[in-house]
Amino acid sequence: MKPFSYERATDVQGAFRAIAVRPDAKFIAGGTNLIDLMKMGIESPTHLVDVNHLPLAKIEDADGGFLRIGALVRNSELAGDRRVRERYPVLSEALLAGASGQLRNKATTGGNLLQRTRCFYFYNAGMPCNKREPGSGCSALQGLNRIHAILGASPECIAVHPSDMAVALTALGAQVETLSATGEVRQIPMTEFHRLPGTTPQVETVLRPGELITAVILPPPPPGGQAYRKVRDRASYAFALISVAVAGNQIALGGVAHKPWRAIKAEEALKSGASPAAAADAELAAAHGYGGNDYKIPLTRRMIVRTMAQTKETARG
Amino acid sequence: MPDPDLSDDPTRRDVLEAGIAVGTVAAFEAGIATVAVVGADAAYAATPHPANPVMLPVRMTINGETRSLSIDTRTTLLDALREHLGLTGTKKGCDQGQCGACTVLVNGMRILSCLTFAGMHEGDTITTIEGLGEPGRLHPMQAAFVEHDGFQCGYCTPGQICSAVGMLKEHELGWPSHATANVAERKLALSDPEIRERMSGNLCRCAAYPNILAAIKDAGGIA
């Protein structure tokens, strides 16, 4: 790991000042992904601004039945929050399906959104990767690609976003609140926060330089049941091969794309009276496998159908 | 040893790229930058990595004692404990957050000491396996692991024990797990599948899991 300087920000303005004068600096919160990447030499910031002590660690009820989750709320605390468990169980379930107790105690809401992909080739500095080294090529296209994308990929990158939490937030129609040094506050829908790879897979979100995630805002839960299902290589402590979050009639998929995937086509089909299986087919009409991940297409179809059935079972009222 | 003075000489490339980076900052301050990653290489060249390790003072309470260190910013909490403080009870397994061997308690909560920098723990209270108990005054969880043979080689054991203590606290807080059928449920019993799921971040290569489970149930007073 290359040497870096470090400072602890105690107020938001201080954090912005620290970043503004050092465009190569990075904010660090839980650090569970960034430090791993720094050890591998994949991330190499010259300066870290520790934001753990900013006042962004509360979960607060907001007007209109909204819930405001501070960016520094730990994954474990969010999953254990009484309001989340009762009103947004799909979020609690998604968080608890991810990582381990130790990691959830450290990982933050904001940091979870900014996780980098777990693509083998992104992590292997000896192999070409357009995300790590733009223009070098995508090793996964012809390589080991059983964990890779079936929707929204590009010839430049077929990596997937690894978060479970973000899939639930996408199904719930959450907004990401950000703050810039200029004082500008943005509320970005989850569906627009992450980007598809296109020709710039190294650009993963719409965050601007120095922009800080301050909160995630949940609208009142949609009517109907909620459920999160995840298929992985072992029963616990593994990233999703496929996951499905359902909240009422809203569906999001994990492990299928470069971003948490809102299944708009399936939702539209359901609205026009299609069966869950037909709705899944509508979503997956554009799916494309790369050999190793071909299994994901029928698996996603079955997962959508099964999770929707489960939602009906758990629907309250 | 590279001459630090020599490496500070700006090359033509550095100067050119520094110019680009300054432009980037100006655009950002005016609020007109619209892309998330602007010339990352240029930015690195603008402010290079420090030529020498950056030292950071940090004071932590470790196992009840206040310890002050001046430490390289790159040092993980795990390495600080083992290499700088001589607390080798905490083990380095994978060093990348996949095995749980390095689990310690920070401010009462279990975390992985390999995925956090020591310098970020100013003012924190840290408990390692040595702080839980030592021969002659074992923590009930340590005693239960001995009683139930909750190990073979013992390498994962300090992490297992710290993790189990943290896990019981999380259960006391009323936190559900992936094994919880209904996360909204208020009364959560610690069934065997619950304990196994909550301990899934600690791998045991000897597969002593049945005895680890028995030890945790014993120490936790779980029937």
Side-chain angles (χ1 to χ4, degrees):
Chain A
M1 197 184 298
K2 289 182 183 166
F4 61 87
S5 46
Y6 165 92
E7 70 184 278
R8 175 187 280 207
T10 50
D11 60 80
V12 173
Q13 285 316 312
F16 283 132
R17 272 197 303 279
I19 286 281
V21 297
R22 300 284 301 260
D24 53 328
K26 271 195 176 293
F27 294 126
I28 183 165
T32 55
N33 189 208
L34 180 59
I35 294 173
D36 193 26
L37 290 165
M38 287 170 72
K39 287 183 180 183
M40 307 281 291
I42 309 299
E43 295 266 18
S44 188
T46 64
H47 186 70
L48 287 182
V49 179
D50 181 349
V51 295
N52 281 293
H53 301 273
L54 301 184
L56 301 172
K58 285 195 182 132
I59 305 173
E60 298 166 300
D61 288 302
D63 290 345
F66 286 71
L67 192 67
R68 189 172 195 281
I69 303 158
L72 289 170
V73 173
R74 307 287 151 174
N75 285 179
S76 52
E77 196 192 336
L78 183 58
D81 184 85
R82 173 69 48 204
R83 291 158 292 189
V84 173
R85 288 159 62 187
E86 287 174 358
R87 289 161 58 196
Y88 307 99
V90 65
L91 176 55
S92 193
E93 288 171 18
L95 284 159
L96 294 169
S100 66
Q102 291 97 312
L103 287 163
R104 292 192 294 269
N105 281 340
K106 205 88 184 74
T108 63
T109 307
N112 188 310
L113 294 175
L114 298 179
Q115 284 181 85
R116 311 295 306 274
T117 183
R118 296 283 164 165
C119 172
F120 320 122
Y121 303 103
F122 176 68
Y123 260 79
N124 183 346
M127 299 289 286
C129 169
N130 286 322
K131 184 183 283 297
R132 180 166 31 76
E133 203 180 326
S136 62
C138 173
S139 302
L141 272 178
Q142 310 287 328
L144 296 170
N145 52 31
R146 69 183 284 275
I147 67 169
H148 289 77
I150 53 170
L151 289 165
S154 74
E156 276 73 25
C157 181
I158 61 170
V160 299
H161 195 266
S163 170
D164 291 291
M165 179 193 84
V167 181
L169 292 179
T170 300
L172 289 166
Q175 306 246 330
V176 183
E177 183 189 273
T178 68
L179 182 64
S180 295
T182 55
E184 184 192 356
V185 176
R186 293 204 290 163
Q187 287 199 358
I188 307 164
M190 269 302 294
T191 46
E192 292 167 27
F193 182 78
H194 295 95
R195 297 165 43 115
L196 288 177
T199 56
T200 54
Q202 74 278 19
V203 185
E204 294 167 355
T205 70
V206 297
L207 281 180
R208 298 165 184 163
E211 195 171 13
L212 182 70
I213 299 174
T214 48
V216 168
I217 297 168
L218 291 175
Q226 299 178 18
Y228 188 76
R229 287 184 78 87
K230 173 174 178 175
V231 173
R232 45 185 157 175
D233 281 331
R234 56 187 183 196
S236 184
Y237 201 17
F239 289 98
L241 295 169
I242 295 288
S243 71
V244 179
V246 176
N249 296 320
Q250 297 164 196
I251 305 167
L253 310 175
V256 300
H258 198 254
K259 59 188 285 186
W261 188 268
R262 181 76 181 256
I264 300 288
K265 288 183 184 128
E267 291 176 20
E268 282 170 358
L270 287 172
K271 263 187 219 148
S272 18
S275 68
D281 286 338
E283 191 65 48
L284 294 166
H288 179 74
Y290 295 88
N293 65 349
D294 290 349
Y295 74 94
K296 282 193 176 186
I297 299 173
L299 180 58
T300 304
R301 181 180 189 274
R302 292 197 297 271
M303 283 280 285
I304 292 173
V305 172
R306 183 67 191 89
T307 312
M308 288 191 62
Q310 184 181 338
T311 307
K312 297 281 185 291
E313 290 158 18
T314 60
R316 289 154 296 155
Chain B
M1 281 283 286
D3 180 352
D5 288 333
L6 196 64
S7 63
D8 281 345
D9 277 353
T11 61
R12 181 170 172 275
R13 181 180 159 86
D14 285 344
V15 171
L16 279 176
E17 291 181 338
I20 294 166
V22 168
T24 304
V25 176
F28 165 56
E29 284 175 345
I32 54 172
T34 54
V35 287
V37 175
V38 184
D41 290 340
Y44 288 132
T47 42
H49 286 275
N52 295 307
V54 178
M55 304 304 283
L56 190 67
V58 58
R59 197 165 63 165
M60 305 174 270
T61 302
I62 300 178
N63 299 335
E65 264 180 67
T66 304
R67 307 292 295 262
S68 295
L69 289 173
S70 175
I71 203 157
D72 187 328
T73 52
R74 294 171 292 181
T75 313
T76 60
L77 179 59
L78 172 60
D79 284 342
L81 291 170
R82 289 181 57 84
E83 311 295 337
H84 295 262
L85 296 165
L87 294 167
T88 52
T90 306
K91 298 293 184 256
K92 182 182 281 194
C94 68
D95 206 27
Q96 52 182 205
Q98 297 185 7
C99 76
C102 68
T103 303
V104 298
L105 300 165
V106 174
N107 302 330
M109 307 305 289
R110 55 178 173 164
I111 68 161
L112 299 179
S113 60
C114 76
L115 287 185
T116 189
F117 290 123
M120 294 173 71
H121 289 280
E122 172 69 27
D124 282 349
T125 298
I126 292 152
T127 304
T128 68
I129 190 69
E130 294 95 337
L132 280 181
E134 285 176 341
R137 51 168 198 92
L138 292 184
H139 184 281
M141 190 64 76
Q142 291 171 314
F145 267 68
V146 173
E147 173 68 24
H148 292 274
D149 234 353
F151 44 78
Q152 283 183 43
C153 81
Y155 198 79
C156 73
T157 313
Q160 296 278 2
I161 291 174
C162 287
S163 185
V165 170
M167 183 275 287
L168 290 179
K169 177 172 181 183
E170 290 162 13
H171 178 253
E172 271 177 33
L173 289 171
W175 288 357
S177 85
H178 178 63
T180 309
N182 176 4
V183 293
E185 189 70 48
R186 280 170 188 262
K187 269 200 174 311
L188 303 170
L190 269 186
S191 63
D192 288 4
E194 279 279 359
I195 296 172
R196 288 179 183 280
E197 163 60 29
R198 290 167 190 258
M199 291 294 296
S200 73
N202 291 84
L203 307 189
C204 172
R205 188 62 186 80
C206 308
Y209 297 114
N211 295 4
I212 292 171
L213 179 67
I216 293 172
K217 288 171 73 171
D218 188 354
I222 301 152

